[in-house]
Amino acid sequence: MQKEAALFVYVDISNSRTIFSAMSEGTAILNDFADMLNTAYKDILITPFSIKDGDAIVGGMRDFTALLHIYSNCLTHYYSEDFKTSFKHLPAVQNETLNFYFGAGIGYIDTQSDNINIVNGTSIINAIEASNIAKTITKSQTNQKKSAISNNENYFFAKQPFKFYCLADSQSFGNVINALFFLAFEQLIRSDKQQQLFRVKDEHPEYSNIEIGVEMGYNTLSKADISSRISVLMANSDYYLYTKVRQDIIHFLVDLQEIMKGAPND
């Protein structure tokens, strides 16, 4: 087949051999995320998410813009009550210390298949390598320096349980994606409450302030107090800049896909 531009995502559990008492616990979590992603993106997947290398899942699609939605959905699922209920016996899930390395690979595939062990091409190679880079960054840093560039360091996602990194065939494109994701998911979120607020608004854009407050656990307050709390939280946040950066990520991925469709890929 002719090479085809594709996005692959490789998600690896951090320290899986030390945080679980049995490998089956990590496998169950990976299968849970794979099922969630396969259900949400069944119409666009070219390779469904499945377990690879024992402690990771990988899947692929043609639509580059799915990258932002997949990352956001992983965060939403991670913090959901359904996920915590399903794995209530695992302390790392309950206390939210479970971390993942989220590798995004943008490139081409030479062989398309539902079987991840048959697929090959630069997109899946880039995804696996991106996950490894995220692992290296996480292990070598505990706090992101003020300037990742001047210190010759990479973007460290300290606030998120999914440590993000993207590699593209042209690494300048991957660098732009890394910078935009870092701005959206690290720099513009200044507190745990803001992070929760952003997640709820992303998942339920139609919610009123009162509905947002109830979702965030303020249901014991009066409606007036709930509305006031959310209004203050919004006023002190960069939510609208955050949504602008998310839009810019989508526009960049759309343009990148068009560039790669028209570029020589042999």
Side-chain angles (χ1 to χ4, degrees):
M1 62 170 283
Q2 184 178 358
K3 292 183 180 181
E4 184 176 12
L7 161 72
F8 270 75
V9 171
Y10 186 95
V11 182
D12 183 12
I13 297 179
S14 171
N15 298 319
S16 59
R17 289 171 177 79
T18 58
I19 62 175
F20 300 126
S21 59
M23 187 173 179
S24 58
E25 295 174 342
T27 301
I29 287 175
L30 290 170
N31 279 325
D32 186 69
F33 273 94
D35 289 344
M36 180 273 292
L37 292 171
N38 288 335
T39 299
Y41 301 101
K42 61 183 178 181
D43 294 333
I44 64 170
L45 290 171
I46 53 178
T47 303
F49 282 88
S50 60
I51 291 182
K52 183 174 176 61
D53 303 326
D55 58 359
I57 56 171
V58 60
M61 60 230 69
R62 295 182 181 88
D63 184 358
F64 289 5
T65 65
L67 176 58
L68 177 61
H69 305 303
I70 288 173
Y71 188 75
S72 294
N73 275 10
C74 283
L75 291 174
T76 298
H77 188 64
Y78 178 94
Y79 289 107
S80 70
E81 287 304 316
D82 286 346
F83 181 64
K84 290 187 175 182
T85 299
S86 296
F87 299 99
K88 58 186 177 183
H89 59 291
L90 297 179
V93 173
Q94 298 305 310
N95 58 28
E96 298 177 356
T97 57
L98 181 65
N99 290 317
F100 300 81
Y101 305 118
F102 186 105
I106 292 177
Y108 296 94
I109 53 171
D110 305 307
T111 304
Q112 178 183 329
S113 174
D114 288 345
N115 185 342
I116 192 59
N117 296 311
I118 295 176
V119 177
N120 59 48
T122 59
S123 56
I124 188 169
I125 293 171
N126 288 341
I128 296 171
E129 180 59 21
S131 177
N132 287 333
I133 292 174
K135 182 185 298 185
T136 299
I137 293 169
T138 302
K139 289 183 179 299
S140 64
Q141 294 182 325
T142 54
N143 294 297
Q144 175 65 35
K145 302 295 191 298
K146 291 183 179 180
S147 172
I149 296 174
S150 66
N151 286 292
N152 195 32
E153 294 174 353
N154 239 311
Y155 300 107
F156 173 46
F157 285 70
K159 298 172 184 172
Q160 303 298 346
F162 288 83
K163 312 305 183 184
F164 179 90
Y165 199 83
C166 178
L167 274 179
D169 282 2
S170 175
Q171 186 47 34
S172 61
F173 292 140
N175 290 341
V176 171
I177 294 169
N178 288 326
L180 289 171
F181 267 75
F182 185 76
L183 177 59
F185 292 98
E186 285 288 318
Q187 296 295 88
L188 295 179
I189 300 174
R190 297 192 296 272
S191 70
D192 291 343
K193 281 298 181 185
Q194 285 187 7
Q195 180 160 260
Q196 187 181 13
L197 171 69
F198 290 9
R199 283 201 311 270
V200 173
K201 286 186 69 66
D202 288 344
E203 188 177 6
H204 302 288
E206 76 287 358
Y207 270 16
S208 67
N209 279 3
I210 292 174
E211 289 172 312
I212 291 170
V214 170
E215 185 75 15
M216 291 179 64
Y218 294 134
N219 47 301
T220 60
L221 303 177
S222 69
K223 289 185 177 181
D225 285 343
I226 292 174
S227 183
S228 177
R229 288 275 185 103
I230 300 304
S231 293
V232 170
L233 195 55
M234 281 289 295
N236 291 330
S237 76
D238 288 314
Y239 178 73
Y240 294 109
L241 181 56
Y242 163 82
T243 59
K244 174 65 167 61
V245 175
R246 286 176 64 99
Q247 291 169 0
D248 289 342
I249 291 172
I250 293 295
H251 294 154
F252 179 80
L253 291 170
V254 169
D255 290 344
L256 176 57
Q257 185 137 30
E258 287 302 312
I259 291 169
M260 291 186 64
K261 280 182 179 177
N265 53 31
D266 51 18

